[in-house]
Every structure is written in structure tokens, then in C-alpha cells.
Amino acid sequence: MEALSNEGATPKWGCGLDQLERRNVFIGELSRVGIKKPDLIGKPSVRNDAAFLTTLVGVTSVIAVAAGSLPGDWGFFVPYLTGAIVLVALAVGSTAPGLLAFVIGRFAQVFPDYRERVLRHEAAHFLAGYLMRVPVTGYSLDIGKAHTDFAEAKLQQRLVERKLSDEEINQLAVVAMAGATAEAMNYDQVQGQVADLTDLQRILQRSEQKLSNAQQQNMTRWAVYSAATMLTKYKKEYQALQIAMQQRASIDKCVAAIEQL
């Protein structure tokens, strides 16, 4: 990509770096760049969890009531075992939250906005990475997938192997929060921000200068603000990229979709 940029073939590669300057960002400023519910940034949505548990309780309750009319011991054991399903789900959530999160993630696909959310989310990561001069090694349309591959591609080594400069922190922070930002600009609740926040936390922990809790919170707001500003400025490129990714286009074709405008 660097070689193509030097030849002038990819003029938008890294062009977002010119406007990248870290500063204090107040939560009210996020509304002015299109964030619908700024106060929910950093607060994981419970919509999918609540819908899953409500559905699970509802379905098992109906089965238990219907099974109560079965003859003999079946009328006792089947409702009892059916009711235990909810307890098992809660137990799994306590002992293996990752497994329950996987199940809930698959359940979330029943929502009409699921595919659109995923597309907006992943396209924002892709575009931010490209504009931040962070190599895009691949993409997935599975929401909740971690994106440290962006960071490691940029550094050409594992994230845990060295400290990061302020410039690297700035680039990677914007890329990390771009997906959540895209959702926050279009929906009241952000479903895919847990993975983004996890990526951001891992990045901030590698900073050469230790950041206080207040500085980390400001960094989160600044990254969202910067990503929102970028998505607005490059709206046409973002839309073209979404179309390409929806068609499962290759990385080269996705880059072409960005550069052709």
C-alpha cells in the first residue's frame, strides 16, 4: 500500500492523519458530530441479552405449561426439566460468559437491523484504518469480532511486544472506535461496542505515557469524535465501501471503491 501511495495511485491512503490532533472532548460535543446518545458510549447495550432471556423464559414457560398435561410422571419431569433450562443459561453466564455471549450473538441475528448494523460497523473500521494509514489485512461481517489485527498489522508485530507512541495511539484509537461510532450515529443503542472498547483498552495499556482514568475516558470521547468527523467528511466513500463489502468484495476492490470518488 505504501508503494502505491508513493506512486500516487492511492491518494486517500492516510489522508485522515492531517486532521488528527488529540484534545479534550466534552460529551456534549459528540452530539454535534452526529452521535445520537453520547451518554451511552462506553455502556454496553443490554437489548440482545434482555431479548434472549425474555424469549428463553417465555418459550420454556409455554412448554412447561403444555407438558403439565402429559400423563403419569412425564407431566412432572418434563416441566421440571424445561424450567431448569433457564437456570442452566444463567449458570453458563456466570461461569462461561463468553459462551453465553456467543449464543446471544447468534440470537441477535433475528433482529431486522442486524445485518445493516454489522455492515455499518465493519465498513467504518475499514475506512478509518485506510484513512489512518493502518493496513487493512481483511474484514469480517460478524459483529463483535476483535480488531487487534489492525493494530498488529500497523506495528508489524504483536501488540504486547512494545510500547506505543502518542501518534500510534491516536491512529489506532480512532480505528478501534470507528465501528461503535458508526452505530452510534445511526442507532440509539450500540450493540458492537464491547469488542471496540476492549481493543481500545489494550491499545491504551501499551502507551509510552501511562494514562489516568480521566485521560482514558477523554481518549475514548476523542476517538469517537474524530471517527464521527471522518465518517461525515468521507460519507460518499463510506457508502461506496459499504456496497462493496456487502458484495463480499476483495480488499483491492474495497480500496478501489474508496479511491474512485
Side-chain angles (χ1 to χ4, degrees):
M1 193 66 71
E2 292 290 350
L4 291 174
S5 178
N6 293 335
E7 295 173 2
T10 55
K12 293 175 184 174
W13 166 249
C15 65
L17 294 174
D18 295 336
Q19 299 95 30
L20 205 62
E21 183 177 352
R22 192 190 304 182
R23 67 174 180 83
N24 289 331
V25 173
F26 299 98
I27 194 166
E29 295 182 73
L30 299 183
S31 297
R32 294 199 288 271
V33 291
I35 303 300
K36 289 183 174 294
K37 300 283 187 179
D39 55 311
L40 295 182
I41 295 294
K43 298 179 181 178
S45 171
V46 297
R47 184 194 74 169
N48 294 343
D49 302 47
F52 173 76
L53 290 176
T54 300
T55 301
L56 183 63
V57 171
V59 171
T60 53
S61 297
V62 170
I63 294 175
V65 171
S69 60
L70 293 174
D73 291 341
W74 288 106
F76 171 76
F77 285 111
V78 173
Y80 179 79
L81 293 175
T82 302
I85 293 176
V86 177
L87 297 178
V88 170
L90 294 175
V92 170
S94 298
T95 58
L99 177 59
L100 184 60
F102 174 81
V103 174
I104 292 175
R106 292 298 175 267
F107 173 81
Q109 297 182 29
V110 304
F111 288 101
D113 64 357
Y114 176 79
R115 292 187 181 280
E116 181 181 306
R117 279 180 180 272
V118 173
L119 181 60
R120 289 182 184 276
H121 188 108
E122 301 304 332
H125 279 302
F126 193 121
L127 181 61
Y130 190 78
L131 298 177
M132 288 291 101
R133 217 178 190 89
V134 177
V136 182
T137 58
Y139 68 88
S140 169
L141 295 183
D142 292 326
I143 201 166
K145 182 179 179 181
H147 295 280
T148 49
D149 56 323
F150 276 100
E152 291 172 0
K154 167 66 177 175
L155 304 174
Q156 296 185 346
Q157 63 186 127
R158 294 182 61 199
L159 188 58
V160 299
E161 291 181 355
R162 70 172 175 87
K163 296 292 185 179
L164 304 178
S165 66
D166 285 349
E167 181 180 354
E168 290 171 328
I169 290 287
N170 291 347
Q171 291 175 266
L172 297 175
V174 173
V175 176
M177 292 304 297
T181 300
E183 283 194 68
M185 295 174 72
N186 291 276
Y187 309 99
D188 288 341
Q189 296 189 47
V190 181
Q191 304 299 323
Q193 68 174 325
V194 174
D196 290 4
L197 289 168
T198 300
D199 280 352
L200 178 61
Q201 186 62 34
R202 292 180 63 188
I203 290 166
L204 297 182
Q205 287 176 346
R206 306 311 301 166
S207 175
E208 290 177 342
Q209 300 181 9
K210 184 175 177 59
L211 301 176
S212 66
N213 289 337
Q215 288 175 318
Q216 291 187 39
Q217 291 173 8
N218 180 71
M219 191 69 192
T220 302
R221 293 192 297 271
W222 175 83
V224 171
Y225 181 92
S226 300
T229 301
M230 188 179 305
L231 291 173
T232 299
K233 181 177 181 179
Y234 295 95
K235 183 177 180 179
K236 291 182 179 180
E237 288 83 353
Y238 181 44
Q239 292 173 337
L241 178 59
Q242 287 182 68
I243 293 173
M245 291 177 65
Q246 192 171 33
Q247 298 170 349
R248 310 283 176 163
S250 65
I251 297 295
D252 290 344
K253 290 183 178 179
C254 288
V255 169
I258 296 172
E259 291 289 356
Q260 69 183 0
L261 297 173

